[in-house]
PDB file of all heavy atoms in Angstrom:
ATOM      1  N   GLN A 574      95.262  77.320  99.655  1.00 76.00           N
ATOM      2  CA  GLN A 574      95.347  76.418  98.514  1.00 76.00           C
ATOM      3  C   GLN A 574      96.746  76.282  97.962  1.00 76.00           C
ATOM      4  O   GLN A 574      97.129  75.168  97.562  1.00 76.00           O
ATOM      5  CB  GLN A 574      94.430  76.929  97.384  1.00 76.00           C
ATOM      6  CG  GLN A 574      93.004  76.527  97.508  1.00 76.00           C
ATOM      7  CD  GLN A 574      92.191  76.978  96.303  1.00 76.00           C
ATOM      8  OE1 GLN A 574      92.657  77.691  95.425  1.00 76.00           O
ATOM      9  NE2 GLN A 574      90.935  76.568  96.285  1.00 76.00           N
ATOM     10  N   ASP A 575      97.513  77.364  97.950  1.00 80.00           N
ATOM     11  CA  ASP A 575      98.862  77.284  97.387  1.00 80.00           C
ATOM     12  C   ASP A 575      99.801  76.413  98.204  1.00 80.00           C
ATOM     13  O   ASP A 575     100.840  75.981  97.709  1.00 80.00           O
ATOM     14  CB  ASP A 575      99.444  78.695  97.212  1.00 80.00           C
ATOM     15  CG  ASP A 575      99.515  79.466  98.519  1.00 80.00           C
ATOM     16  OD1 ASP A 575      98.787  79.139  99.470  1.00 80.00           O
ATOM     17  OD2 ASP A 575     100.322  80.428  98.592  1.00 80.00           O
ATOM     18  N   ALA A 576      99.460  76.084  99.476  1.00 83.00           N
ATOM     19  CA  ALA A 576     100.312  75.256 100.297  1.00 83.00           C
ATOM     20  C   ALA A 576      99.860  73.809 100.341  1.00 83.00           C
ATOM     21  O   ALA A 576     100.611  72.918 100.814  1.00 83.00           O
ATOM     22  CB  ALA A 576     100.343  75.830 101.728  1.00 83.00           C
ATOM     23  N   LEU A 577      98.654  73.498  99.849  1.00 81.00           N
ATOM     24  CA  LEU A 577      98.149  72.132  99.922  1.00 81.00           C
ATOM     25  C   LEU A 577      98.906  71.230  98.959  1.00 81.00           C
ATOM     26  O   LEU A 577      99.120  71.572  97.806  1.00 81.00           O
ATOM     27  CB  LEU A 577      96.645  72.122  99.610  1.00 81.00           C
ATOM     28  CG  LEU A 577      95.742  72.853 100.574  1.00 81.00           C
ATOM     29  CD1 LEU A 577      94.327  72.868 100.041  1.00 81.00           C
ATOM     30  CD2 LEU A 577      95.807  72.235 101.957  1.00 81.00           C
ATOM     31  N   LYS A 578      99.228  70.025  99.477  1.00 92.00           N
ATOM     32  CA  LYS A 578      99.971  69.078  98.639  1.00 92.00           C
ATOM     33  C   LYS A 578      99.885  67.682  99.270  1.00 92.00           C
ATOM     34  O   LYS A 578     100.862  67.138  99.747  1.00 92.00           O
ATOM     35  CB  LYS A 578     101.433  69.510  98.539  1.00 92.00           C
ATOM     36  CG  LYS A 578     102.234  68.779  97.505  1.00 92.00           C
ATOM     37  CD  LYS A 578     103.670  69.258  97.580  1.00 92.00           C
ATOM     38  CE  LYS A 578     104.361  69.153  96.308  1.00 92.00           C
ATOM     39  NZ  LYS A 578     105.716  69.650  96.394  1.00 92.00           N
ATOM     40  N   GLU A 579      98.640  67.138  99.297  1.00 93.00           N
ATOM     41  CA  GLU A 579      98.459  65.805  99.862  1.00 93.00           C
ATOM     42  C   GLU A 579      97.221  65.158  99.286  1.00 93.00           C
ATOM     43  O   GLU A 579      96.335  65.834  98.800  1.00 93.00           O
ATOM     44  CB  GLU A 579      98.341  65.844 101.381  1.00 93.00           C
ATOM     45  CG  GLU A 579      97.040  66.458 101.880  1.00 93.00           C
ATOM     46  CD  GLU A 579      96.854  66.299 103.399  1.00 93.00           C
ATOM     47  OE1 GLU A 579      97.639  65.592 104.030  1.00 93.00           O
ATOM     48  OE2 GLU A 579      95.915  66.896 103.889  1.00 93.00           O
ATOM     49  N   ILE A 580      97.219  63.839  99.358  1.00 94.00           N
ATOM     50  CA  ILE A 580      96.033  63.095  98.979  1.00 94.00           C
ATOM     51  C   ILE A 580      95.165  63.010 100.239  1.00 94.00           C
ATOM     52  O   ILE A 580      95.651  62.481 101.240  1.00 94.00           O
ATOM     53  CB  ILE A 580      96.404  61.695  98.458  1.00 94.00           C
ATOM     54  CG1 ILE A 580      97.199  61.824  97.156  1.00 94.00           C
ATOM     55  CG2 ILE A 580      95.153  60.855  98.251  1.00 94.00           C
ATOM     56  CD1 ILE A 580      97.806  60.553  96.653  1.00 94.00           C
ATOM     57  N   PRO A 581      93.960  63.561 100.219  1.00 94.00           N
ATOM     58  CA  PRO A 581      93.133  63.544 101.438  1.00 94.00           C
ATOM     59  C   PRO A 581      92.862  62.091 101.883  1.00 94.00           C
ATOM     60  O   PRO A 581      92.355  61.311 101.098  1.00 94.00           O
ATOM     61  CB  PRO A 581      91.866  64.245 100.997  1.00 94.00           C
ATOM     62  CG  PRO A 581      92.215  65.029  99.781  1.00 94.00           C
ATOM     63  CD  PRO A 581      93.293  64.298  99.140  1.00 94.00           C
ATOM     64  N   PRO A 582      93.221  61.749 103.111  1.00 93.00           N
ATOM     65  CA  PRO A 582      93.068  60.371 103.560  1.00 93.00           C
ATOM     66  C   PRO A 582      91.651  60.012 104.018  1.00 93.00           C
ATOM     67  O   PRO A 582      91.270  58.853 104.002  1.00 93.00           O
ATOM     68  CB  PRO A 582      94.067  60.273 104.736  1.00 93.00           C
ATOM     69  CG  PRO A 582      94.139  61.667 105.261  1.00 93.00           C
ATOM     70  CD  PRO A 582      93.956  62.570 104.077  1.00 93.00           C
ATOM     71  N   HIS A 583      90.870  61.024 104.438  1.00 94.00           N
ATOM     72  CA  HIS A 583      89.538  60.738 104.993  1.00 94.00           C
ATOM     73  C   HIS A 583      88.622  60.153 103.927  1.00 94.00           C
ATOM     74  O   HIS A 583      88.407  60.738 102.872  1.00 94.00           O
ATOM     75  CB  HIS A 583      88.943  62.044 105.573  1.00 94.00           C
ATOM     76  CG  HIS A 583      87.602  61.858 106.175  1.00 94.00           C
ATOM     77  ND1 HIS A 583      87.391  61.063 107.272  1.00 94.00           N
ATOM     78  CD2 HIS A 583      86.403  62.333 105.826  1.00 94.00           C
ATOM     79  CE1 HIS A 583      86.111  61.081 107.593  1.00 94.00           C
ATOM     80  NE2 HIS A 583      85.481  61.832 106.678  1.00 94.00           N
ATOM     81  N   LYS A 584      88.108  58.957 104.202  1.00 94.00           N
ATOM     82  CA  LYS A 584      87.194  58.227 103.327  1.00 94.00           C
ATOM     83  C   LYS A 584      87.786  57.903 101.973  1.00 94.00           C
ATOM     84  O   LYS A 584      87.072  57.881 100.963  1.00 94.00           O
ATOM     85  CB  LYS A 584      85.855  58.925 103.205  1.00 94.00           C
ATOM     86  CG  LYS A 584      85.043  58.897 104.471  1.00 94.00           C
ATOM     87  CD  LYS A 584      83.602  59.177 104.177  1.00 94.00           C
ATOM     88  CE  LYS A 584      82.744  58.908 105.418  1.00 94.00           C
ATOM     89  NZ  LYS A 584      81.332  59.019 105.111  1.00 94.00           N
ATOM     90  N   LEU A 585      89.104  57.700 101.922  1.00 94.00           N
ATOM     91  CA  LEU A 585      89.743  57.220 100.695  1.00 94.00           C
ATOM     92  C   LEU A 585      89.409  55.733 100.612  1.00 94.00           C
ATOM     93  O   LEU A 585      89.969  54.931 101.314  1.00 94.00           O
ATOM     94  CB  LEU A 585      91.241  57.473 100.734  1.00 94.00           C
ATOM     95  CG  LEU A 585      92.037  56.951  99.520  1.00 94.00           C
ATOM     96  CD1 LEU A 585      91.581  57.590  98.238  1.00 94.00           C
ATOM     97  CD2 LEU A 585      93.514  57.180  99.724  1.00 94.00           C
ATOM     98  N   LEU A 586      88.456  55.411  99.760  1.00 92.00           N
ATOM     99  CA  LEU A 586      87.962  54.035  99.623  1.00 92.00           C
ATOM    100  C   LEU A 586      88.960  53.173  98.864  1.00 92.00           C
ATOM    101  O   LEU A 586      89.092  51.993  99.141  1.00 92.00           O
ATOM    102  CB  LEU A 586      86.594  54.064  98.962  1.00 92.00           C
ATOM    103  CG  LEU A 586      85.809  52.778  98.827  1.00 92.00           C
ATOM    104  CD1 LEU A 586      85.467  52.244 100.215  1.00 92.00           C
ATOM    105  CD2 LEU A 586      84.550  53.015  98.041  1.00 92.00           C
ATOM    106  N   TYR A 587      89.628  53.761  97.873  1.00 90.00           N
ATOM    107  CA  TYR A 587      90.504  52.974  97.000  1.00 90.00           C
ATOM    108  C   TYR A 587      91.568  53.849  96.378  1.00 90.00           C
ATOM    109  O   TYR A 587      91.286  54.968  95.958  1.00 90.00           O
ATOM    110  CB  TYR A 587      89.653  52.322  95.893  1.00 90.00           C
ATOM    111  CG  TYR A 587      90.420  51.524  94.892  1.00 90.00           C
ATOM    112  CD1 TYR A 587      90.910  50.274  95.213  1.00 90.00           C
ATOM    113  CD2 TYR A 587      90.679  52.035  93.628  1.00 90.00           C
ATOM    114  CE1 TYR A 587      91.613  49.510  94.278  1.00 90.00           C
ATOM    115  CE2 TYR A 587      91.401  51.295  92.690  1.00 90.00           C
ATOM    116  CZ  TYR A 587      91.861  50.038  93.035  1.00 90.00           C
ATOM    117  OH  TYR A 587      92.567  49.306  92.122  1.00 90.00           O
ATOM    118  N   ASP A 588      92.776  53.337  96.339  1.00 92.00           N
ATOM    119  CA  ASP A 588      93.895  53.953  95.647  1.00 92.00           C
ATOM    120  C   ASP A 588      94.612  52.816  94.918  1.00 92.00           C
ATOM    121  O   ASP A 588      95.128  51.912  95.561  1.00 92.00           O
ATOM    122  CB  ASP A 588      94.845  54.669  96.608  1.00 92.00           C
ATOM    123  CG  ASP A 588      96.012  55.376  95.940  1.00 92.00           C
ATOM    124  OD1 ASP A 588      96.221  55.165  94.723  1.00 92.00           O
ATOM    125  OD2 ASP A 588      96.718  56.095  96.636  1.00 92.00           O
ATOM    126  N   SER A 589      94.606  52.863  93.584  1.00 90.00           N
ATOM    127  CA  SER A 589      95.172  51.739  92.813  1.00 90.00           C
ATOM    128  C   SER A 589      96.662  51.578  93.034  1.00 90.00           C
ATOM    129  O   SER A 589      97.200  50.492  92.777  1.00 90.00           O
ATOM    130  CB  SER A 589      94.839  51.905  91.320  1.00 90.00           C
ATOM    131  OG  SER A 589      95.489  53.049  90.807  1.00 90.00           O
ATOM    132  N   ALA A 590      97.362  52.602  93.505  1.00 88.00           N
ATOM    133  CA  ALA A 590      98.784  52.492  93.803  1.00 88.00           C
ATOM    134  C   ALA A 590      98.904  51.635  95.055  1.00 88.00           C
ATOM    135  O   ALA A 590      98.563  52.033  96.152  1.00 88.00           O
ATOM    136  CB  ALA A 590      99.409  53.845  94.030  1.00 88.00           C
ATOM    137  N   GLY A 591      99.366  50.440  94.879  1.00 76.00           N
ATOM    138  CA  GLY A 591      99.587  49.530  95.999  1.00 76.00           C
ATOM    139  C   GLY A 591      98.342  48.753  96.429  1.00 76.00           C
ATOM    140  O   GLY A 591      98.401  48.025  97.388  1.00 76.00           O
ATOM    141  N   ALA A 592      97.253  48.874  95.695  1.00 78.00           N
ATOM    142  CA  ALA A 592      96.040  48.137  96.050  1.00 78.00           C
ATOM    143  C   ALA A 592      96.242  46.658  95.769  1.00 78.00           C
ATOM    144  O   ALA A 592      96.783  46.267  94.739  1.00 78.00           O
ATOM    145  CB  ALA A 592      94.843  48.639  95.251  1.00 78.00           C
ATOM    146  N   THR A 593      95.842  45.829  96.715  1.00 74.00           N
ATOM    147  CA  THR A 593      96.037  44.369  96.562  1.00 74.00           C
ATOM    148  C   THR A 593      94.717  43.625  96.418  1.00 74.00           C
ATOM    149  O   THR A 593      94.721  42.441  96.181  1.00 74.00           O
ATOM    150  CB  THR A 593      96.788  43.815  97.785  1.00 74.00           C
ATOM    151  OG1 THR A 593      96.053  44.145  98.944  1.00 74.00           O
ATOM    152  CG2 THR A 593      98.205  44.382  97.868  1.00 74.00           C
ATOM    153  N   HIS A 594      93.609  44.331  96.576  1.00 80.00           N
ATOM    154  CA  HIS A 594      92.307  43.694  96.452  1.00 80.00           C
ATOM    155  C   HIS A 594      91.299  44.639  95.814  1.00 80.00           C
ATOM    156  O   HIS A 594      91.408  45.844  95.935  1.00 80.00           O
ATOM    157  CB  HIS A 594      91.815  43.197  97.816  1.00 80.00           C
ATOM    158  CG  HIS A 594      91.595  44.342  98.781  1.00 80.00           C
ATOM    159  ND1 HIS A 594      92.642  44.978  99.422  1.00 80.00           N
ATOM    160  CD2 HIS A 594      90.452  44.967  99.179  1.00 80.00           C
ATOM    161  CE1 HIS A 594      92.137  45.941 100.194  1.00 80.00           C
ATOM    162  NE2 HIS A 594      90.850  45.948 100.063  1.00 80.00           N
ATOM    163  N   PRO A 595      90.291  44.066  95.150  1.00 79.00           N
ATOM    164  CA  PRO A 595      89.249  44.934  94.562  1.00 79.00           C
ATOM    165  C   PRO A 595      88.390  45.560  95.664  1.00 79.00           C
ATOM    166  O   PRO A 595      88.350  45.068  96.785  1.00 79.00           O
ATOM    167  CB  PRO A 595      88.442  43.971  93.686  1.00 79.00           C
ATOM    168  CG  PRO A 595      88.726  42.620  94.218  1.00 79.00           C
ATOM    169  CD  PRO A 595      90.080  42.665  94.863  1.00 79.00           C
ATOM    170  N   VAL A 596      87.712  46.615  95.315  1.00 87.00           N
ATOM    171  CA  VAL A 596      86.847  47.319  96.236  1.00 87.00           C
ATOM    172  C   VAL A 596      85.405  47.168  95.751  1.00 87.00           C
ATOM    173  O   VAL A 596      85.141  47.102  94.546  1.00 87.00           O
ATOM    174  CB  VAL A 596      87.262  48.790  96.374  1.00 87.00           C
ATOM    175  CG1 VAL A 596      87.064  49.525  95.071  1.00 87.00           C
ATOM    176  CG2 VAL A 596      86.501  49.485  97.466  1.00 87.00           C
ATOM    177  N   LEU A 597      84.464  47.087  96.683  1.00 90.00           N
ATOM    178  CA  LEU A 597      83.034  47.128  96.335  1.00 90.00           C
ATOM    179  C   LEU A 597      82.564  48.559  96.525  1.00 90.00           C
ATOM    180  O   LEU A 597      82.858  49.191  97.544  1.00 90.00           O
ATOM    181  CB  LEU A 597      82.234  46.189  97.227  1.00 90.00           C
ATOM    182  CG  LEU A 597      82.433  44.730  96.976  1.00 90.00           C
ATOM    183  CD1 LEU A 597      81.671  43.906  97.997  1.00 90.00           C
ATOM    184  CD2 LEU A 597      81.980  44.360  95.571  1.00 90.00           C
ATOM    185  N   PHE A 598      81.830  49.068  95.545  1.00 90.00           N
ATOM    186  CA  PHE A 598      81.436  50.467  95.545  1.00 90.00           C
ATOM    187  C   PHE A 598      79.987  50.567  95.108  1.00 90.00           C
ATOM    188  O   PHE A 598      79.587  49.968  94.130  1.00 90.00           O
ATOM    189  CB  PHE A 598      82.355  51.237  94.587  1.00 90.00           C
ATOM    190  CG  PHE A 598      81.993  52.673  94.378  1.00 90.00           C
ATOM    191  CD1 PHE A 598      81.899  53.559  95.440  1.00 90.00           C
ATOM    192  CD2 PHE A 598      81.786  53.175  93.105  1.00 90.00           C
ATOM    193  CE1 PHE A 598      81.567  54.886  95.238  1.00 90.00           C
ATOM    194  CE2 PHE A 598      81.471  54.503  92.872  1.00 90.00           C
ATOM    195  CZ  PHE A 598      81.362  55.374  93.967  1.00 90.00           C
ATOM    196  N   THR A 599      79.185  51.332  95.856  1.00 89.00           N
ATOM    197  CA  THR A 599      77.801  51.635  95.476  1.00 89.00           C
ATOM    198  C   THR A 599      77.701  53.114  95.241  1.00 89.00           C
ATOM    199  O   THR A 599      77.620  53.883  96.205  1.00 89.00           O
ATOM    200  CB  THR A 599      76.821  51.185  96.580  1.00 89.00           C
ATOM    201  OG1 THR A 599      77.034  49.806  96.880  1.00 89.00           O
ATOM    202  CG2 THR A 599      75.393  51.391  96.112  1.00 89.00           C
ATOM    203  N   PRO A 600      77.750  53.564  93.985  1.00 90.00           N
ATOM    204  CA  PRO A 600      77.657  55.007  93.709  1.00 90.00           C
ATOM    205  C   PRO A 600      76.289  55.558  94.145  1.00 90.00           C
ATOM    206  O   PRO A 600      75.275  55.113  93.682  1.00 90.00           O
ATOM    207  CB  PRO A 600      77.837  55.122  92.182  1.00 90.00           C
ATOM    208  CG  PRO A 600      77.950  53.741  91.675  1.00 90.00           C
ATOM    209  CD  PRO A 600      77.839  52.762  92.778  1.00 90.00           C
ATOM    210  N   ASP A 601      76.326  56.482  95.099  1.00 88.00           N
ATOM    211  CA  ASP A 601      75.085  57.036  95.688  1.00 88.00           C
ATOM    212  C   ASP A 601      75.127  58.537  95.609  1.00 88.00           C
ATOM    213  O   ASP A 601      76.040  59.174  96.124  1.00 88.00           O
ATOM    214  CB  ASP A 601      74.969  56.556  97.144  1.00 88.00           C
ATOM    215  CG  ASP A 601      73.611  56.858  97.744  1.00 88.00           C
ATOM    216  OD1 ASP A 601      72.828  57.590  97.125  1.00 88.00           O
ATOM    217  OD2 ASP A 601      73.350  56.343  98.850  1.00 88.00           O
ATOM    218  N   LEU A 602      74.089  59.090  94.973  1.00 88.00           N
ATOM    219  CA  LEU A 602      74.028  60.539  94.827  1.00 88.00           C
ATOM    220  C   LEU A 602      72.935  61.196  95.669  1.00 88.00           C
ATOM    221  O   LEU A 602      72.690  62.387  95.580  1.00 88.00           O
ATOM    222  CB  LEU A 602      73.785  60.921  93.342  1.00 88.00           C
ATOM    223  CG  LEU A 602      74.924  60.548  92.419  1.00 88.00           C
ATOM    224  CD1 LEU A 602      74.537  60.740  90.967  1.00 88.00           C
ATOM    225  CD2 LEU A 602      76.126  61.420  92.739  1.00 88.00           C
ATOM    226  N   GLY A 603      72.225  60.419  96.443  1.00 82.00           N
ATOM    227  CA  GLY A 603      71.158  60.943  97.288  1.00 82.00           C
ATOM    228  C   GLY A 603      71.698  61.662  98.509  1.00 82.00           C
ATOM    229  O   GLY A 603      72.010  61.033  99.522  1.00 82.00           O
ATOM    230  N   ASP A 604      71.838  62.971  98.470  1.00 77.00           N
ATOM    231  CA  ASP A 604      72.373  63.796  99.569  1.00 77.00           C
ATOM    232  C   ASP A 604      73.780  63.390  99.980  1.00 77.00           C
ATOM    233  O   ASP A 604      74.237  63.723 101.062  1.00 77.00           O
ATOM    234  CB  ASP A 604      71.441  63.794 100.780  1.00 77.00           C
ATOM    235  CG  ASP A 604      70.161  64.515 100.488  1.00 77.00           C
ATOM    236  OD1 ASP A 604      70.157  65.421  99.633  1.00 77.00           O
ATOM    237  OD2 ASP A 604      69.129  64.175 101.085  1.00 77.00           O
ATOM    238  N   GLN A 605      74.432  62.615  99.171  1.00 86.00           N
ATOM    239  CA  GLN A 605      75.809  62.193  99.430  1.00 86.00           C
ATOM    240  C   GLN A 605      76.638  62.500  98.220  1.00 86.00           C
ATOM    241  O   GLN A 605      76.228  63.290  97.376  1.00 86.00           O
ATOM    242  CB  GLN A 605      75.845  60.708  99.747  1.00 86.00           C
ATOM    243  CG  GLN A 605      75.026  60.282 100.936  1.00 86.00           C
ATOM    244  CD  GLN A 605      75.138  58.794 101.185  1.00 86.00           C
ATOM    245  OE1 GLN A 605      76.223  58.237 101.183  1.00 86.00           O
ATOM    246  NE2 GLN A 605      73.980  58.170 101.356  1.00 86.00           N
TER     247      GLN A 605
END
């Protein structure tokens, strides 16, 4: 943990820094 220093890229759906378009999102809590 003390060495970690990154934004995890896997399944990064949206990052407002540099985003040029809106994202569609369906918040799902069923086993996800």
Side-chain angles (χ1 to χ4, degrees):
Q574 276 184 354
D575 58 339
L577 295 175
K578 191 183 209 179
E579 71 172 351
I580 296 171
H583 181 64
K584 290 199 170 186
L585 178 60
L586 185 63
Y587 178 76
D588 182 350
S589 65
T593 57
H594 62 283
V596 65
L597 289 175
F598 175 55
T599 305
D601 191 349
L602 293 171
D604 291 333
Q605 299 180 49

